[in-house]
DNA sequence: TCAAAAGTGTTGTACCTACACCCATGA
DNA sequence: TCATGGGTGTAGGTACAACACTTTTGA
């Protein structure tokens, strides 16, 4: 175990950032429950090096003495100006030929961000938001990475409460259901959705209702206490039953 | 993105190797279905450096131009002399302080091996097999890693067919059930187990039966075609329903 | 013929789906 | 009052758990 020459790979960190496209508001006003949303991810244009001029996941090199998750949050913040509401390690990609010319091992994270936080960096010409289900050819193996992250997001939605990370502190059940419908790309029965979520114990009523709607004011909820067991968020307990990816 | 000084972390690869302890056979003869088994993992004694004299996961440095999974399989083979029947990336651990004195980022894999392959390296004094549920304090953060791998194994058993990787080419339903019972640490109803597995389509009959038992000869099965979609085994489709970790 | 494991049948329960229906509000 | 989304009730289906039962072999 004396130091062999092998360890010359460079360590990079990238993040697949998921957001919900805010509802189409021609004026700048924040409309609640406005229009059909869709899943969006931000990509950055590579200005140099391999994969030049192609779109790529935001990321960067791991800093000295920097934790992996910290590096992911940092590069994410540098790109989009948001702090992630949810951040989890996805996978580490390290094929020797994935970056031409040099050996790069990328620890990839995925993140969920709230919609109103995504308006910051949108008008940078080198940052563009894409529909993750129909991407152009990206730099390196990033198409594969996004595909994998998407699958993980859709699967994990069914047995955890990550959907909350797309929403504000308080939200209605219709808004939460809209998140599920958008991510899973299928409609859900409002009645059954309500019962399933209520039975899971993941939500508590705030006692408030959302006013200003043209109809009956819906109750506002907020997430129950996270109660995340395990060190450094590695073990997140599945609670909410059965909103699976496939019917 | 010009090369910053940050990338000085060393890249290591470790593997949590799961096996089933072979049934207790005082003679050297291979007895089928002999006695209650238990889950076993091999650890190696650290002979130098940080964590000296403690037990640790088998592993090593990533070789130049070597794929991560290849490095995992290589170090696994060097330690135990077996080729894994199943190998999957678990998580990448990279806290700055996890190894005193130097920055090490470890890409950790987990593997399943067949029981008769585990007899090779057992008598090396620097390799010992442990019950993963009651380990001594290991080097570095390896206790946490084993705990995480165990959770993944038990969860994944419920929605995939990895249990086959513990067994030979052909096996009886009782043997397969014993794998589940050992890993999940609870008894399963033979009748319901049979129906669940048969309905999953994961098994096909060989037409043979296992003779030499004192009782009715059971049919022998083998796994159905893997049908693993997706590149490099990243996407493994869940099929077998509902043999969950908790009742 | 007996013991024990292999394999089959059956019933209850829990949960999910579908959809009918009532409730509350702004316009 | 009406339209509409919020919210409740309920019947049918599916799947799993429990366990009684039959089958098949070696001894």
């Amino acid at each position: 175990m004396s130091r062999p020459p092998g360890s010359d790979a460079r360590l990079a960190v990238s993040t697949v950032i998921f957001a919900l496209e805010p509802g189409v508001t021609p004026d700048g006003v924040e409309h609640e429950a406005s229009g059909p949303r869709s899943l969006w991810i931000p990509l950055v244009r590579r200005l140099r090096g391999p994969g030049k001029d192609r779109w790529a996941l935001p990321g960067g090199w791991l800093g000295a003495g920097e934790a992996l998750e910290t590096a992911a949050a940092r590069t994410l913040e540098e790109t989009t100006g948001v702090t992630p509401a949810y951040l989890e390690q996805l996978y580490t990609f390290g094929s020797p030929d994935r970056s031409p010319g040099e050996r790069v091992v990328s620890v990839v994270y995925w993140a969920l961000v709230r919609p109103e936080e995504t308006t910051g960096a949108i008008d940078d010409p080198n940052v563009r938001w894409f529909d993750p289900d129909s991407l152009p050819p990206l730099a390196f193996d990033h198409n594969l990475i996004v595909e994998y992250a998407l699958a993980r997001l859709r699967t994990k939605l069914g047995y955890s409460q990550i959907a909350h990370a797309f929403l504000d502190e308080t939200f209605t059940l219709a808004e939460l259901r809209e998140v599920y419908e958008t991510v899973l790309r299928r409609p859900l029965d409002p009645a059954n959705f309500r019962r399933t979520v209520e039975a899971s114990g993941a939500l508590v009523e705030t006692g408030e209702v959302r006013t200003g709607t043209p109809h009956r004011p819906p109750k506002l909820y907020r997430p129950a206490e996270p109660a995340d067991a395990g060190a450094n968020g590695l073990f997140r307990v599945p609670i909410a039953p059965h909103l699976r990816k496939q019917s």
Side-chain angles (χ1 to χ4, degrees), chain A:
Chain A
M1 280 250 192
S2 62
R3 199 189 229 270
S7 315
D8 59 350
R10 301 180 70 192
L11 250 175
V13 175
S14 299
T15 306
V16 184
I17 305 168
F18 291 107
L20 289 187
E21 180 184 21
V24 187
T25 57
D27 50 301
V29 185
E30 275 285 339
H31 283 181
E32 309 292 344
S34 52
R37 295 174 165 177
S38 68
L39 211 49
W40 274 55
I41 69 172
L43 298 176
V44 299
R45 194 196 301 273
R46 282 189 64 81
L47 302 176
R48 77 192 68 195
K52 184 172 182 300
D53 291 330
R54 303 188 101 155
W55 296 97
L57 293 172
W61 304 111
L62 176 67
E66 187 180 38
L68 295 171
E69 185 161 334
T70 306
R74 172 179 59 80
T75 58
L76 186 162
E77 203 280 339
E78 289 169 1
T79 307
T80 66
V82 304
T83 57
Y86 183 86
L87 183 64
E88 180 187 322
Q89 190 180 305
L90 176 70
Y91 199 80
T92 298
F93 296 82
S95 296
D97 56 350
R98 59 187 293 275
S99 178
E102 59 177 352
R103 180 74 194 277
V104 177
V105 171
S106 287
V107 182
V108 178
Y109 281 74
W110 61 292
L112 306 184
V113 299
R114 308 190 187 284
E116 72 283 358
E117 298 179 309
T118 63
T119 52
I122 280 187
D123 44 0
D124 183 330
N126 292 319
V127 176
R128 190 182 294 172
W129 293 73
F130 292 83
D131 175 0
D133 278 311
S134 56
L135 290 175
L138 306 182
F140 314 116
D141 50 3
H142 288 191
N143 285 93
L144 173 70
I145 294 177
V146 172
E147 199 183 339
Y148 186 37
L150 252 183
R152 179 97 135 238
L153 167 62
R154 294 194 164 117
T155 301
K156 191 144 192 173
L157 209 67
Y159 63 89
S160 72
Q161 293 116 250
I162 54 171
H164 303 160
F166 279 120
L167 299 170
D168 294 330
E169 276 298 301
T170 66
F171 46 83
T172 68
L173 284 182
E175 288 166 350
L176 182 63
R177 179 167 47 86
E178 192 187 11
V179 172
Y180 277 85
E181 291 178 334
T182 300
V183 176
L184 300 180
R185 286 176 305 184
R186 65 183 162 99
L188 296 172
D189 185 302
N192 297 328
F193 181 82
R194 164 179 303 276
R195 269 183 295 256
T196 301
V197 169
E198 279 176 346
S200 77
L203 259 47
V204 290
E205 297 185 13
T206 63
E208 314 266 309
V209 295
R210 185 185 301 294
T211 57
T213 65
H215 308 301
R216 172 173 175 176
K219 295 179 191 168
L220 284 170
Y221 294 81
R222 60 178 170 74
E225 280 315 297
D228 61 335
N232 71 343
L234 221 56
F235 299 88
R236 298 180 197 265
V237 275
I239 297 186
H242 311 305
L243 286 166
R244 292 287 147 73
K245 196 163 139 197
Q246 290 282 5
S247 170

